[in-house]
Amino acid sequence: DADVTQTPRNRITKTGKRIMLECSQTKGHDRMYWYRQDPGLGLRLIYYSFDVKDINKGEISDGYSVSRQAQAKFSLSLESAIPNQTALYFCATSDPRRGSFSTDTQYFGPGTRLTVL
Amino acid sequence: TQLLEQSPQFLSIQEGENLTVYCNSSSVFSSLQWYRQEPGEGPVLLVTVVTGGEVKKLKRLTFQFGDARKDSSLHITAAQPGDTGLYLCAGSNTGNQFYFGTGTSLTVIP
């Protein structure tokens, strides 16, 4: 079984709908991240969480919210989806016990392809 | 936003050829990582470099961190079809974020 799983893998929705993307991990890592990937722009950080009580905005948090329900679960919500949120979304985890953040290894899930019509 | 520019954006080569991918920024980073991403999957870490001028080798892949820690390169010797994928660099400063580059899509033709 995969260490980092994302559901759903694909989703098509309409403008204005509320959408939740879920991420679960079995790696026992405290740190979790949500990124979006757009062609030609690489990955951009939306939110990150260093433990259950710690939530931080990333580079592009507007229009998104997150919930860290447990160490293993980190959900991303689009309260009112718009077409420019069409993208590939990735969840990732990392383990702070292996050293400083700058040398963290991030483990990515398989991604969720979201299309907003 | 600290922008990391990668070049070339697309690269298509024959099996056995050598290639170099570049990752450049005007910002200084405390570390630089390279990831490879295959279709339908998330990125997978290849290497982390932390010292200016550092060179790391991973089989046929050679990674170098610039002396000023603003740029990096990835050189692949004798490319194979299994090297096909999207290569991403990512830089970290003193904050708690990695900033990803724009990506280089590599296709190795058998």
Side-chain angles (χ1 to χ4, degrees), chain A residues 7 9 21 39 46 68:
Chain A
T7 56
R9 292 295 312 277
L21 308 183
I46 306 172
R68 185 81 184 266

Side-chain angles (χ1 to χ4, degrees), chain B:
Chain B
T1 300
Q2 298 169 79
L3 186 62
L4 280 162
E5 290 281 351
Q6 288 185 235
S7 61
Q9 186 176 0
F10 298 96
L11 189 56
S12 181
I13 62 171
Q14 294 291 134
E15 182 176 0
E17 293 183 351
N18 302 331
L19 67 114
T20 302
V21 176
Y22 299 93
C23 174
N24 295 296
S25 176
S26 58
S27 301
V28 176
F29 293 101
S30 57
S31 70
L32 200 295
Q33 298 184 328
W34 284 93
Y35 288 79
R36 180 169 65 211
Q37 181 180 10
E38 299 187 12
E41 300 180 8
V44 175
L45 180 67
L46 296 173
V47 76
T48 300
V49 286
V50 298
T51 305
E54 182 177 1
V55 176
K56 281 192 174 180
K57 292 190 176 184
L58 183 65
K59 296 184 180 179
R60 294 175 294 99
L61 279 60
T62 302
F63 305 86
Q64 183 164 8
F65 201 11
D67 290 341
R69 290 184 288 127
K70 293 182 178 181
D71 55 85
S72 180
S73 63
L74 158 60
H75 182 79
I76 301 179
T77 302
Q80 299 178 0
D83 295 327
T84 293
L86 179 67
Y87 288 82
L88 295 160
C89 63
S92 173
N93 57 11
T94 55
N96 292 319
Q97 296 186 30
F98 274 95
Y99 296 89
F100 279 80
T102 49
T104 294
S105 179
L106 171 66
T107 302
V108 181
I109 303 167

Side-chain angles (χ1 to χ4, degrees), chain A:
Chain A
D1 289 340
D3 294 319
V4 183
T5 57
Q6 294 183 231
T7 56
R9 292 295 312 277
N10 290 282
R11 181 73 183 268
I12 299 173
T13 190
K14 294 182 179 180
T15 297
K17 294 291 187 181
R18 184 178 187 275
I19 296 297
M20 178 180 287
L21 308 183
E22 299 188 356
C23 176
S24 295
Q25 53 113 347
T26 59
K27 299 186 75 68
H29 290 171
D30 287 327
R31 297 177 177 176
M32 298 188 74
Y33 312 81
W34 275 105
Y35 290 90
R36 65 175 281 175
Q37 184 175 35
D38 300 275
L41 293 178
L43 279 83
R44 292 179 291 167
L45 183 63
I46 306 172
Y47 272 94
Y48 62 101
S49 169
F50 280 7
D51 63 45
V52 175
K53 297 181 180 179
D54 176 74
I55 302 289
N56 303 280
K57 292 183 178 181
E59 187 182 354
I60 53 164
S61 59
D62 287 350
Y64 301 94
S65 62
V66 291
S67 173
R68 185 81 184 266
Q69 300 95 323
Q71 184 204 40
K73 296 184 181 297
F74 193 34
S75 301
L76 175 72
S77 293
L78 287 67
E79 298 300 325
S80 180
I82 56 177
N84 75 1
Q85 291 178 313
T86 293
L88 192 53
Y89 289 84
F90 286 100
C91 173
T93 74
S94 68
D95 183 1
R97 294 169 293 177
R98 296 184 63 85
S100 67
F101 176 82
S102 63
T103 58
D104 264 6
T105 296
Q106 294 187 62
Y107 298 88
F108 286 83
T112 294
R113 185 168 296 281
L114 176 66
T115 302
V116 183
L117 302 176

